[in-house]
């Protein structure tokens, strides 16, 4: 007993709908089929990962044979067949670029689409378009996609449960049914949705059809998430667009700072903000060159190189320092207390006085090592392009 796959459905979604009818997950079902490709003969199968992007021909044939489906129909569910010109970086990923994975990440969902499935009396299912890196708004309902459960607030992982003969999507963490709660955005938010949806559609058209604008979008998005002013900065250039003093990049998106393709690594809400900033800064035609608008040109100048690494030959040589005796530490302490700068700092506020003390301690402890390090350190650049750290 296997339902037919929907035309715009993810392969893993169809497998999950089949599996829920046997009390299994999609990975467990794939593990059963991996045994002999025809039955549930293996009592405790090893869960098998389902690659939505490009499943192997052998896997698709085994699944199709077991479920009585045309193998070519299953192959047409793969993302590589739907979007042959789209690079892997333009799909939703599970996190940082250095995380090894052959599959895409957690699928963001549209609750209004699930409600439409229920109203039509059919199984709920995951749409393939939800896996596109730039997709943050449902083009059918104009709703922001969700990648966190509204009940348990964990990162959303969708499972399916058979209710009244239909597969219903649920949160795999807390088990709550994913359904539209009927919340309405105000008029201002609806306008933001429409503007961002237009940007999203332009990106999709350029990526899927090898439009020359694709490279410009890639450069502009990477620039927004480039480190601010310094290659090691934890804040992206996007922080300047927020224009909030003391703003810090949240931990769950910090891995995207400096990434070559940051959009697919971001949660749906941060993708929404990124596309909104992209349109506000660059306009309809993003260009990261001499023809950029003044606001964009200012941000481009503040973007630091994303992959700057010091070669082993350019690093400072290690300076081996000898341990100081207690008598020497006592002499340094008396030297700091007698320093005119410390005496003058007694009238300063506590925090400024502590900064003066810290500077004097560092200078005293450095001693001759500071002079040695100055001789060994490379000379500053003289081309006037030194990076300023804010």
């Amino acid at each position: 007993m296997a339902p037919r796959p929907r035309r715009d459905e993810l392969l893993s979604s169809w497998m999950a709908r089949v599996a829920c009818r046997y009390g299994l997950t999609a990975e467990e079902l794939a593990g059963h089929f991996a045994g002999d490709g025809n039955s549930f003969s293996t009592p405790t199968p090893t869960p098998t990962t389902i690659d939505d992007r490009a499943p192997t021909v052998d896997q698709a044939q085994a699944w199709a044979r077991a479920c009585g489906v045309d193998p070519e129909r299953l192959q047409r569910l793969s993302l590589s067949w739907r979007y042959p010109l789209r690079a892997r970086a333009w799909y939703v990923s599970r996190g940082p670029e250095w995380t090894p994975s052959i599959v895409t990440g957690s699928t963001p969902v549209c609750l209004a689409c699930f409600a439409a499935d229920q109203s039509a009396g059919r199984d709920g299912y995951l749409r393939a378009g939800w896996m596109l890196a730039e997709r943050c708004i449902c083009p059918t309902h104009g709703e922001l996609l969700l990648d966190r459960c509204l009940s348990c607030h964990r990162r959303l992982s969708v499972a399916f449960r058979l209710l009244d003969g239909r597969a219903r999507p649920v949160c795999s963490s807390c088990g709550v049914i994913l359904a539209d709660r009927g919340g309405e955005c105000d008029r201002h938010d609806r306008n933001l949705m429409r503007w961002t949806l237009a940007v999203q559609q332009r990106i999709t058209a350029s990526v899927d059809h090898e439009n020359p604008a694709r490279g410009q979008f890639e450069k502009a998005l990477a620039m927004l998430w480039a480190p601010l002013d310094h290659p090691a900065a934890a804040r992206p250039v996007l922080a300047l667009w927020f224009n909030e003093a003391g703003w810090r990049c949240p931990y769950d998106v910090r891995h995207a700072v400096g990434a070559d393709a940051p959009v697919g690594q971001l949660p749906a809400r941060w993708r929404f903000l990124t596309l909104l900033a992209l349109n506000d800064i660059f306009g309809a035609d993003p260009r990261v060159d001499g023809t950029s608008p003044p606001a964009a040109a200012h941000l481009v100048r503040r973007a630091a190189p994303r992959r700057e690494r010091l070669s082993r030959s350019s690093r400072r040589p290690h300076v081996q320092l000898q341990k100081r005796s207690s008598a020497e530490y006592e002499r340094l302490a008396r030297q700091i207390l007698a320093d005119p700068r410390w005496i003058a700092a007694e009238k300063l506020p506590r925090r400024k006085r502590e900064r003066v003390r810290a500077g004097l301690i560092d200078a005293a402890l450095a001693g001759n090592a500071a002079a040695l390090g100055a001789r060994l350190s490379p000379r500053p650049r003289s081309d006037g392009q030194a990076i300023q750290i804010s």
Side-chain angles (χ1 to χ4, degrees), residues 283-329:
D285 185 20
R287 293 187 178 275
V288 189
D289 51 28
T291 62
S292 303
H298 173 67
L299 267 64
V300 171
R301 289 193 296 269
R302 301 288 298 273
R306 297 188 301 276
R307 290 186 177 273
E308 181 173 316
R309 296 288 187 273
L310 291 176
S311 62
R312 185 173 298 273
S313 60
S314 63
R315 296 174 184 171
R316 293 185 181 183
H318 177 68
V319 180
Q320 184 68 31
L321 299 179
Q322 297 180 352
K323 293 184 178 181
R324 294 183 173 90
S325 63
S326 299
E328 188 173 0
Y329 278 117

Side-chain angles (χ1 to χ4, degrees), residues 189-387:
D189 289 338
R190 289 294 181 188
N191 290 333
L192 293 180
M193 294 291 184
R194 284 195 294 269
W195 296 337
T196 309
L197 180 59
V199 179
Q200 174 182 289
Q201 292 171 338
R202 291 201 303 269
I203 295 177
T204 301
S206 65
V207 172
D208 290 339
H209 299 91
E210 285 192 338
N211 192 300
R214 169 179 171 173
Q216 295 297 333
F217 277 117
E218 291 176 342
K219 292 179 182 179
L221 292 169
M223 189 278 299
L224 289 177
W225 281 91
L228 179 61
D229 292 332
H230 192 276
R235 291 197 305 165
V237 173
L238 186 65
L240 300 177
W241 182 71
F242 289 117
N243 196 24
E244 294 183 6
W247 182 86
R248 293 186 177 184
C249 184
Y251 180 77
D252 60 340
V253 296
R254 197 169 295 176
H255 61 266
V257 178
D260 291 331
V263 181
Q265 304 178 30
L266 298 172
R269 289 185 177 275
W270 279 94
R271 271 180 267 161
F272 170 75
L273 289 173
T274 301
L275 297 191
L276 197 62
L278 177 73
N279 184 68
D280 186 44
I281 296 170
F282 291 96
D285 185 20
R287 293 187 178 275
V288 189
D289 51 28
T291 62
S292 303
H298 173 67
L299 267 64
V300 171
R301 289 193 296 269
R302 301 288 298 273
R306 297 188 301 276
R307 290 186 177 273
E308 181 173 316
R309 296 288 187 273
L310 291 176
S311 62
R312 185 173 298 273
S313 60
S314 63
R315 296 174 184 171
R316 293 185 181 183
H318 177 68
V319 180
Q320 184 68 31
L321 299 179
Q322 297 180 352
K323 293 184 178 181
R324 294 183 173 90
S325 63
S326 299
E328 188 173 0
Y329 278 117
E330 184 177 354
R331 180 184 60 80
L332 292 176
R334 289 197 299 268
Q335 176 183 331
I336 293 173
L337 293 176
D339 193 291
R341 289 170 292 182
W342 174 247
I343 297 174
E346 294 181 356
K347 299 180 181 180
L348 298 176
R350 181 178 61 86
R351 294 187 62 181
K352 292 185 177 180
R353 189 167 62 251
E354 290 178 352
R355 285 199 295 268
V356 173
R357 182 182 61 187
L360 292 174
I361 292 175
D362 290 342
L365 292 176
N368 293 333
L372 178 60
R375 290 196 300 270
L376 295 174
S377 61
R379 295 183 179 180
R381 295 172 59 182
S382 59
D383 55 1
Q385 298 180 2
I387 298 176

Side-chain angles (χ1 to χ4, degrees), residues 133-193:
E134 73 277 7
R135 185 67 59 88
C136 57
I137 297 176
C138 174
T140 303
H141 301 99
E143 299 287 347
L144 184 68
L145 300 186
L146 297 179
D147 48 20
R148 285 194 176 273
C149 177
L150 296 177
S151 179
C152 66
H153 305 291
R154 294 181 180 178
R155 186 171 183 176
L156 185 61
S157 177
V158 180
F160 287 90
R161 180 186 301 168
L162 197 64
L163 296 174
D164 300 326
R166 300 295 180 187
R168 297 289 303 278
V170 300
C171 173
S172 61
S173 298
C174 64
V176 67
I177 297 177
L178 301 175
D180 190 2
R181 298 183 178 182
E184 294 291 337
C185 298
D186 57 31
R187 185 176 180 181
H188 180 65
D189 289 338
R190 289 294 181 188
N191 290 333
L192 293 180
M193 294 291 184

